[in-house]
Amino acid sequence: MFSYQGKHCRELLSTTAIAERVKALGAEITRAYADRGEDLVLVGVMKGSVIFLSDLARAIDLPLQMELIGIASYGDSTKSSGVVQITSDLTKPIEGKDVIIVEDIVDTGLTVSYLLENFRTRQPRSVKVAALLHKPERSVVKVDIHYLGFTIPNEFVVGYGLDFAQRYRNLPGIMVLEGGEH
Ligand code: IMP
Ligand code: MG
């Protein structure tokens, strides 16, 4: 336990553990897509995934494109409503492409399941999901995560891109914020 910006933090995943896991995921994706040509597109879900996206992309030894998609989900902070809106769309069509959605965390699963459904209408060759974290205890809709970093307990985490009220994204590891109000 240590103090960061006046809050108590407990490290859940160290920078070393994350770096090793991301490298392994990159190698796995490299093997899986090696004979698929040059149509791999990583789609990072803003903003939480951008740090994972940048590390994962550099761990993949294949030609690829990177895209970002912005999402707003309605409902209060504790209950995801499943109503998701695209606030910033892809810059290029994904028709005929091999798409990997890159997410920071799959919590209820509603965001990824919305994106999967939305992307399918754009006729990509394939769509898979890479998520750094998964909180299975919070699952509302079942989502297949093809490339998963870590399964974590039902605790609110920050760092490595994940925020609380837009803060803590730049913490290098994954931390649990102690105390109800963060
Ligand atoms: P969903 O409930 O699977 O739709 O998760 C949607 C989004 O909620 C994730 O992409 C995160 O941005 C955010 N989220 C869920 N759990 C956490 C957490 O523990 N820390 C920070 N953000 C979270
Ligand atoms: Mg997110």
Side-chain angles (χ1 to χ4, degrees):
M1 182 108 98
F2 66 99
S3 207
Y4 182 83
Q5 296 183 359
K7 309 288 179 197
H8 292 304
C9 293
R10 174 164 51 84
E11 184 177 83
L12 191 64
L13 298 166
S14 70
T15 55
T16 316
I18 296 168
E20 277 174 13
R21 190 70 196 111
V22 173
K23 238 180 146 184
L25 289 176
E28 208 183 312
I29 291 170
T30 303
R31 283 193 300 275
Y33 289 82
D35 56 357
R36 300 284 272 171
E38 302 207 350
D39 288 323
L40 180 58
V41 185
L42 303 183
V43 178
V45 185
M46 288 195 278
K47 303 168 201 157
S49 79
V50 296
I51 291 176
F52 176 43
L53 174 69
S54 66
D55 283 345
L56 183 66
R58 287 176 292 178
I60 298 172
D61 188 16
L62 293 172
L64 57 78
Q65 296 176 39
M66 288 162 73
E67 286 281 339
L68 292 167
I69 194 161
I71 289 285
S73 66
Y74 296 96
D76 61 41
S77 53
T78 54
K79 239 193 280 156
S80 201
S81 63
V83 181
V84 173
Q85 194 191 10
I86 293 175
T87 55
S88 169
D89 206 350
L90 308 177
T91 64
K92 297 245 164 34
I94 52 169
E95 187 176 348
K97 304 283 188 193
D98 289 309
V99 174
I100 302 180
I101 297 171
V102 179
E103 252 292 31
D104 52 357
I105 183 165
V106 175
D107 187 34
T108 61
L110 291 165
T111 303
V112 166
S113 111
Y114 170 83
L115 283 176
L116 282 169
E117 210 170 290
N118 180 286
F119 282 8
R120 271 181 203 123
T121 66
R122 308 185 195 203
Q123 272 121 40
R125 177 150 74 158
S126 64
V127 190
K128 300 234 157 150
V129 175
L132 181 71
L133 306 173
H134 182 213
K135 270 190 219 173
E137 285 169 56
R138 298 252 312 159
S139 173
V140 168
V141 17
K142 195 188 164 331
V143 176
D144 283 332
I145 305 170
H146 309 92
Y147 303 101
L148 174 63
F150 303 90
T151 296
I152 64 166
N154 187 10
E155 289 184 295
F156 196 84
V157 292
V158 294
Y160 198 73
L162 290 103
D163 73 304
F164 173 72
Q166 300 302 325
R167 290 170 67 209
Y168 309 104
R169 293 192 197 276
N170 59 327
L171 273 171
I174 300 281
M175 310 284 165
V176 177
L177 284 185
E178 302 283 3
E181 285 306 299
H182 309 302

